[in-house]
Amino acid sequence: ELGLDAGVFQVPGIAATAVRRALVDSARTNAPGLTEATEMIGDKSVTAVVYPGDGPTLYLYEQADVVFYVGTRDHDLAVDFLAGLP
């Protein structure tokens, strides 16, 4: 098992910042203790969405009109994955 979930969201006509905000807001409805913070991972500014308890962290990275996401409990694995993105 890799321990990482990844993908990309793009909504034609909707800015990546609005897509990211919608992802965070929708996650919060099922996880009221969820926190978010902006952090630098390598040369990328990402939004780290931390689920309460021992849940995973979801890293959201905006590039042009898309939002990449990486969900994992392993920060180093997220760093390695994000390093490979444009």
Side-chain angles (χ1 to χ4, degrees), residues 10-55:
Q10 181 180 33
V11 181
I14 306 292
T17 55
V19 173
R20 177 191 44 81
R21 181 82 262 140
L23 290 168
V24 173
D25 290 346
S26 67
R28 186 169 277 123
T29 61
N30 294 325
L34 181 133
T35 62
E36 69 177 290
T38 301
E39 64 179 77
M40 291 299 294
I41 296 185
D43 62 346
K44 295 172 178 65
S45 176
V46 302
T47 300
V49 180
V50 181
Y51 285 82
D54 66 346

Side-chain angles (χ1 to χ4, degrees), residues 48-83:
V49 180
V50 181
Y51 285 82
D54 66 346
T57 298
L58 180 63
Y59 300 91
L60 301 171
Y61 167 59
E62 298 170 39
Q63 173 63 26
D65 62 344
V66 300
V67 177
F68 294 95
Y69 74 90
V70 180
T72 184
R73 288 182 174 89
D74 184 337
H75 183 266
D76 292 337
L77 189 57
V79 169
D80 289 345
F81 186 86
L82 287 162

